Amino acid sequence: MSGPLKWQPDFGGNPASQSMIKQLQGVVSAAAIVAAGLPISAGSFVIGTWDFNSYDGNSSTGNLLTTDGNGLLDPIGNGALSFGPGSGSSDSGADNTALNIFAPAGTGAGNSVGADFGISTLGFHQIQIAFDFDHPPVSDQPFYFLLSTDNGTTWSTPTALNPSGDGSWTNNVLVDLTAESGAGNNFNLRFQFLGSLSTDAVVDTVGLQLDMVQVTGEPSPVPEPTAVIMSLGLLGLAGARRWLKRN
């Protein structure tokens, strides 16, 4: 493949035309994105990271809070969340815990399971989301990535997370939102990893593992003081002219 590959959501005015677009050359799969080695933009700051580690040396215990920043994480639908070893992900933590998304026993076909992430990007633009995932071969649940810039009122068309095929982790997947103005300076940016059961769920069958979910961005530019002063001066001049005309 020639050149990097990244995902760029398209939020057109018509919700029916909203779709997650995988751009540039090459095979359009998460594995290809990783193979391209696309880095997070230079000059970016970490807004929030979920590494799911409890830092107690035990990978079966974890943490749903962000290790930096202020983010929220909730299960979706009939899904349940648990923790397990993240061996193979890019997490360098001593206990390397991953988030497991699975369907409890008795969950019927057609029901949704997943995890919903929310974070504020106020003060930042050029937003990017990176994550590691593992889609176990025993799982028959297709999983998708979705994004919302209006706190869940509308969502991008689901983009499939293509598994490696051998049960290994796919790391450093990058969702590029730098061209999406609605992603930056947003108090309620949300994204989901969502699965739909094609058959009745088996007890504790893990549908998807996640690790190192990270949101980054660049500080929003601050207007130059001279530009602000000039704007105020022009407003004052306009006001003076209106006063003279009235008098």
Side-chain angles (χ1 to χ4, degrees), residues 43-124:
S44 290
F45 286 75
V46 174
I47 301 172
T49 303
W50 288 266
D51 65 11
F52 309 112
N53 296 333
S54 54
Y55 298 97
D56 59 0
N58 185 352
S59 60
S60 64
T61 61
N63 184 9
L64 295 179
L65 302 176
T66 48
T67 53
D68 42 39
N70 295 300
L72 301 174
L73 170 56
D74 293 297
I76 298 173
N78 301 94
L81 306 178
S82 66
F83 302 103
S87 303
S89 74
S90 64
D91 190 352
S92 59
D95 51 7
N96 190 6
T97 301
L99 180 71
N100 299 331
I101 302 174
F102 66 96
T107 304
N111 286 297
S112 296
V113 297
D116 183 292
F117 293 75
I119 196 165
S120 170
T121 61
L122 289 178
F124 294 91

Side-chain angles (χ1 to χ4, degrees), residues 154-204:
T154 58
W155 292 89
S156 62
T157 299
T159 296
L161 298 179
N162 299 319
S164 60
D166 59 4
S168 60
W169 280 83
T170 302
N171 296 338
N172 304 314
V173 178
L174 191 68
V175 180
D176 183 35
L177 305 177
T178 55
E180 172 48 47
S181 59
N185 287 301
N186 189 330
F187 185 69
N188 290 306
L189 182 69
R190 288 172 59 187
F191 54 97
Q192 296 181 345
F193 298 89
L194 185 66
S196 180
L197 302 184
S198 56
T199 60
D200 289 347
V202 180
V203 179
D204 292 347

